Structure formats: C-alpha cells, structure tokens
Amino acid sequence: MNEPPAEPIRNETPMERADRNFAELLQELRVTQTGVQILFAFLLTLAFTPRFPSLDSVQRGMYVATLLLAVLATVLFMAPAALHRGLFRRHAKPQIVDTSSRFAIAGMAALALALTGSVLLVVDVALGRPAGIGAGVAVFLLHAGLWGVMPLMARRRVPGPDTVQTPATGDGSRGPTD
C-alpha cells in the first residue's frame, strides 16, 4: 500500500493552530447550518398547510420527532459561537476547538436523523408507509456511509498525529499536527 505524501510541518504555535482549527470548524459549520436552516423552515411551515390535519398519528409523531431533531441540530451547530463568546479572552481556544468539534459531530448526527425523518415523512405521505420506510432507510444509509464510514476509512489511510513525517528526519517520528 502506498503511503500518502507527508504534509509539510506548519510553523505555528499551539495557539495559532487552535485559531486556525477554529476558523476551519466555523467554515464547516457555515455549510451545515444552511442545510439545517432550510430543513427547519420547511418543517415549521408544514404544520400550517391544509393537508397537515389529515396526517395520521404515526405521521404526526414522525413530524414532531423530525422537527425536534432539526432544533437539536440547529442548537448544536450554534453552540460553538456561544461557547466562544462565553470563554472570550480566557485563553481557552484549544478547549473551545475540542468542545466545538464535539458539538459539530453531534449536530451532524442530529441533522442526518432529521433529514432521514423528513424524507420518511414526505415519502410516507406521498407514496405510502412502505415506500416511506424504504426511502428513510436509504437516506439513513447514505448518511452513515458518507458521513460515518467514509471518513473512518479515509482516516486509516492518513498518518495520525503520532506519525508525522518531519523534514529533519523524514522517519515518521512523533511531532505536532492538527
């Protein structure tokens, strides 16, 4: 198996690295927040449509669960900004980055479930329960594959923080990374 080329060592302090990692995390959150905001807006308006009263109890349960998952995803994606604000000027950027990363991962899980629930509900209403369940399972598996399995597989192919190729030795000695 071919090893990927070693990434050049960045000449940055731990605090500069934390600042860069936080900026990268915020960029990622901007992408996901747009999706969750559109989904949340769709779900909010759904309850006020003429057809909503005709939903059965299972569909209403799916709706409420999906709405709450979208709220949870929204809160988790916004939590890094609140955490940063709460710890502003406390020299806690590494802790903010670590905790915010966990919020982002949990937010993506909640978003994956909310998107799954949305598809399940819409297809259930449009084509019936079996088609809705099938579509929901497909969407869930798509998220699990692209957001879960694929990153884990890619991670195995990339040297970890304990095996960085250093310019001085080129031997995979331990060194700082992200």
Side-chain angles (χ1 to χ4, degrees), residues 15 22 79-100 103:
M15 288 307 287
F22 191 61
L83 180 64
H84 181 262
R85 197 56 17 220
L87 295 176
F88 189 64
R89 293 187 178 158
R90 300 281 178 134
H91 307 286
K93 190 63 69 84
Q95 294 84 0
I96 292 169
V97 170
D98 184 57
T99 303
S100 295
F103 284 143

Side-chain angles (χ1 to χ4, degrees), residues 7 14 17 20 63 72 104 110 122 125 129 139 141 146 156 160 165 168 176:
E7 181 179 318
R17 178 176 300 113
R20 179 177 51 80
Y63 170 76
L72 178 61
V122 170
V125 169
R129 185 105 347 116
V139 168
L141 291 175
L146 292 177
R156 289 184 184 152
Q165 298 289 326

